[in-house]
Amino acid sequence: MTAMTAPLRRTALVLLCAATAATAAAAQAPDSISHLIGGEPFRQARAFIKADYERFVRELIALNEIPAPPFKEERRARAYLAMLKENGLTDVEMDQEGNVMGVRRGSGGAPMLAVLAHLDTVFPEGTDVKVRREGTRLIAPGIGDDTRALALMLSMIRAMNAAKLATASDILFVGNVGEEGEGDLRGVKYLLRSGKYKDRIKLFLAIDGGDQGGITRGGVGSKRYRVTFKGPGGHSYGAFGLVNPAYAMAASMAKLSDVQVPSAPRTTYNVGVVSGGTSVNSIPSEVSMDVDIRSESCAELKKVDETFLGIVKSSVADENRARSTREGSITADPKVIGERPCGETPMSAPILKTTVAAVQAFGLTPSFGIGSTDSNIPMSLGIPALTIGRGGPGGRAHSPDEWTDVEPKGVIQSIEIALAIVLAVAGAR
Amino acid sequence: MTAMTAPLRRTALVLLCAATAATAAAAQAPDSISHLIGGEPFRQARAFIKADYERFVRELIALNEIPAPPFKEERRARAYLAMLKENGLTDVEMDQEGNVMGVRRGSGGAPMLAVLAHLDTVFPEGTDVKVRREGTRLIAPGIGDDTRALALMLSMIRAMNAAKLATASDILFVGNVGEEGEGDLRGVKYLLRSGKYKDRIKLFLAIDGGDQGGITRGGVGSKRYRVTFKGPGGHSYGAFGLVNPAYAMAASMAKLSDVQVPSAPRTTYNVGVVSGGTSVNSIPSEVSMDVDIRSESCAELKKVDETFLGIVKSSVADENRARSTREGSITADPKVIGERPCGETPMSAPILKTTVAAVQAFGLTPSFGIGSTDSNIPMSLGIPALTIGRGGPGGRAHSPDEWTDVEPKGVIQSIEIALAIVLAVAGAR
């Protein structure tokens, strides 16, 4: 999960607006959830999960020790593919983007549910991914985010099989690529826009949060540009007076820095990287800047995006007016280098009501966040989607001393909760 | 020679102002020059130069084929040192900066004259410096600028010795380092500020122009900065609202681009290189820009320099007001990465009158330019200095297909003219 869950204070506002609906949902759903959790099959599943604990830990360590840097998830993907197959899924395969997946058939009485954990970590090639153990803590880059979810998914599948839990939905279990950073959600984009199940997946659960009380129901949208400004260049002294692309870029940055954005819905922009030019005594022929725009609101994102593109255009025009274009003019090419569509799953959506009920059934208090996760894609496509927790406690995600706690009770409960959510959303009885 | 001689149209203005003095000088000096050139010793020197032609070409090629990239002139310097020694100079040595030099003693009746040609080329290590010949053209990187002057100096010394030409001044012949680009005139800076002859050199001639009618009598001053802007950095989304050093830099660039400078005296500025930042989704903790400021006028240079530093300061202050400094403030560190002091040798200076007369004695029409050469340093120190031509024709300096023409008549005359200037300035009879 990319670290961007909105502070609770802010999401509380969102909650207030939707409080009635949520309460109504929570008031309705518990019955069937209680029924599910109280039933004999689920009891058997719980017993299985308990017995499966050592294997969960073993698999978590084994998976973590297969490096999965962005765009280089293949080794871990192949290993995970084999594990999905071993656990009895059908149609186990790797798609063209590198996602691995398999199906657990349902009765067909409900649309397909996709359940995902992402294979990739933020850590570059060469990072030491060996797992260290201190008491009940496992410490290693990626151990929580999101390797723990990969291991959880395997234990969950085994429990479903052991307890012969039937669902109405076919469930597609996916270990997906490209969730982190420059991966730009490429795995899920492929799955839902081009993959063979793109028209079948109608429900979506990404297991990619920490605490299972926290439910990510909104996707922060983002748009990223590398804007390249070009001009004729020339000698700083001999050709002084010619247009300079660095000035057009500077004006763009300066004007962008003056743009006012709302703090709720949270909306941001950033110039993160600048580069270009050949020497101090040459007018640059090319400079570029990397810009990141984000918002919890699709409308605000669009507004800032358009404002920004207008700023670039006017800054280029201004520079072409301010200095000589006799050797050539300044041009700007804003290339999209990242796009995470925004979206949200409404508080009234059945998938959310069901998930809230399941979380509450285990005594947790649900809280709702807006983040940037694989769920952004289905949300933007109108597919009901949530990102749920993998359990914990854990911390220091995206740092070399990332950790996750595997004290047995916590692990077992986290798999139970995830299982309850998946079963409830998939229409188990 | 760094390519920046001012266009003739502009220098004509300078000339007009000084026309009376120049005419007066030219009216006086020819007598003693005619006397010198018409005398028997100079006739013998001319005969020697003619006979020395093949050796000049051979040495020019040999020197050119020893690479001399900026800061890596040592191999060529050692070879040149041996040649200076071989030609009978005394006190031949390499100084701490890497300049090589030797003295030709005079009678002591006049102060020391330094005559320089620079060893370094603009071409980086690995450049093919093999000389190609097409008719009377020699083609190779650096063949004109300034290797031809190195070879000319050797032939000139031999001619003086062969003809037993005596001077009042001791003459220090120097093959110096660091004229080009980032060398930042380090060779001459050392020679005149720290070297053993620093208090003795009172006249200065750099052989580093093309056509010998062109005399560089003014030094364009330049000041170069790398300004590093630092801030606390942070996540583009999570830490939005913190100060961003890229915005402070952008504001500096935008304000600089609005600064109005005179076209006469020619004054320029440039942002040549920008860099910094770690990723599109991080607020940069550090960005930098390389800035070049130049002027034919010391006063204008100082003015733009001060304006620029003020702009940087106010842009930083503005950014620290515009956004939050709770995690730290923006700072800017403008580090001087190059400084060529400005200066000029007045039209009334004897060194200029004498040089004009010598050039005219060979039927050439003198023209006066302002440039950026080794002479900037003595000019800034009040030492009468000029940069004179090495002869030609030639072209494409600083490009891989640089060429110089070695048709015998032209070569011989160019050495004669340089010799006449050196002798006249050094007080030969």
Side-chain angles (χ1 to χ4, degrees), chain A residues 236-237 257 266 270 282 292, chain B residues 236-237 266 270 282 292 323:
Chain A
S236 67
Y237 186 76
S257 78
R266 186 166 178 82
N270 183 54
S282 302
D292 177 46
Chain B
S236 67
Y237 185 76
R266 186 166 177 83
N270 184 55
S282 301
D292 177 47
R323 267 162 281 273

Side-chain angles (χ1 to χ4, degrees), chain A residues 7-295:
Chain A
L8 285 180
R9 213 173 319 117
R10 203 157 338 92
T11 47
L13 290 173
V14 181
L15 271 182
L16 281 177
C17 308
T20 324
T23 311
Q28 256 188 351
D31 286 350
S32 62
I33 292 287
S34 306
H35 181 75
L36 173 73
I37 294 175
E40 178 55 20
F42 198 82
R43 201 198 52 75
Q44 283 178 30
R46 294 179 96 153
F48 178 88
I49 290 166
K50 198 170 173 186
D52 197 48
Y53 169 77
E54 290 297 342
R55 184 169 175 186
F56 163 85
V57 173
R58 205 163 60 238
E59 288 182 342
L60 169 54
I61 293 171
L63 282 166
N64 200 83
E65 292 183 350
I66 306 170
F71 297 96
K72 287 171 183 165
E73 302 97 335
E74 193 175 343
R75 261 188 68 208
R76 185 182 286 189
R78 296 224 171 269
Y80 201 63
L81 181 92
M83 290 160 121
L84 291 177
K85 205 172 275 181
E86 194 186 312
N87 283 323
L89 298 186
T90 62
D91 300 306
V92 176
E93 64 188 310
M94 177 182 284
D95 69 16
Q96 279 183 37
E97 194 65 34
N99 301 308
V100 292
M101 65 197 82
V103 177
R104 186 170 189 277
R105 298 243 172 273
S107 66
M112 179 179 261
L113 162 68
V115 180
L116 294 87
H118 66 84
L119 293 160
D120 58 311
T121 71
V122 293
F123 302 97
E125 238 174 340
T127 303
D128 181 1
V129 290
K130 184 108 189 110
V131 179
R132 202 153 48 84
R133 191 159 190 159
E134 284 181 10
T136 57
R137 279 192 181 188
L138 299 184
I139 305 161
I143 191 74
D145 182 7
D146 194 27
T147 318
R148 180 165 175 156
L150 290 168
L152 179 153
M153 203 151 85
L154 295 174
S155 187
M156 177 164 66
I157 295 167
R158 282 193 293 275
M160 290 171 84
N161 293 344
K164 299 195 173 59
L165 281 155
T167 58
S169 298
D170 282 357
I171 307 177
L172 181 70
F173 289 99
V174 187
N176 66 285
V177 296
E179 194 273 342
E180 299 285 2
E182 295 194 9
D184 203 31
L185 310 186
R186 66 189 179 94
V188 172
K189 281 179 180 169
Y190 183 86
L191 185 76
L192 295 182
R193 292 175 182 172
S194 316
K196 69 191 261 194
Y197 298 110
K198 72 183 167 70
D199 297 321
R200 288 189 57 200
I201 298 168
K202 299 295 178 204
L203 295 161
F204 186 102
L205 287 171
I207 311 174
D208 188 17
D211 168 31
Q212 291 174 309
I215 300 166
T216 302
R217 58 166 284 273
V220 172
S222 72
K223 197 139 182 200
R224 292 171 177 182
Y225 290 99
R226 174 161 300 153
V227 190
T228 304
F229 297 79
K230 292 187 183 176
H235 194 283
S236 67
Y237 186 76
F240 177 72
L242 295 188
V243 285
N244 182 335
Y247 300 150
M249 184 166 92
S252 302
M253 288 161 68
K255 286 182 213 161
L256 176 64
S257 78
D258 283 340
V259 170
Q260 297 299 313
V261 287
S263 57
R266 186 166 178 82
T267 304
T268 69
Y269 53 80
N270 183 54
V271 175
V273 177
V274 292
S275 79
T278 47
S279 72
V280 64
N281 58 338
S282 302
I283 300 170
S285 55
E286 188 174 323
V287 296
S288 71
M289 62 177 180
D290 291 359
V291 173
D292 177 46
I293 304 167
R294 307 198 195 192
S295 181

Side-chain angles (χ1 to χ4, degrees), chain A residues 231-245 247 281-284 318-330, chain B residues 10 256-263 266-271 292 294:
Chain A
H235 194 283
S236 67
Y237 186 76
F240 177 72
L242 295 188
V243 285
N244 182 335
Y247 300 150
N281 58 338
S282 302
I283 300 170
D318 288 349
E319 178 61 14
N320 283 330
R321 264 193 303 272
R323 266 162 281 272
S324 169
T325 57
R326 69 170 188 274
E327 301 290 340
S329 302
I330 300 298
Chain B
R10 201 156 338 94
L256 176 64
S257 78
D258 283 339
V259 171
Q260 296 300 312
V261 287
S263 56
R266 186 166 177 83
T267 304
T268 68
Y269 53 79
N270 184 55
V271 175
D292 177 47
R294 306 198 197 194

Side-chain angles (χ1 to χ4, degrees), chain B residues 216-219 343-352 375 378-379 383-386:
Chain B
T216 302
R217 58 166 285 272
E344 68 170 326
T345 294
M347 290 303 292
S348 59
I351 193 173
L352 184 53
S375 292
M379 285 171 186
I383 297 170
L386 299 173

Side-chain angles (χ1 to χ4, degrees), chain B residues 131-139 393 403-407:
Chain B
V131 178
R132 203 153 48 84
R133 191 160 188 159
E134 285 181 10
T136 57
R137 279 192 182 189
L138 299 185
I139 305 160
W403 62 275
T404 196
D405 193 294
V406 292
E407 180 276 316

Side-chain angles (χ1 to χ4, degrees), chain B residues 18-30:
Chain B
T20 325
T23 310
Q28 257 190 350

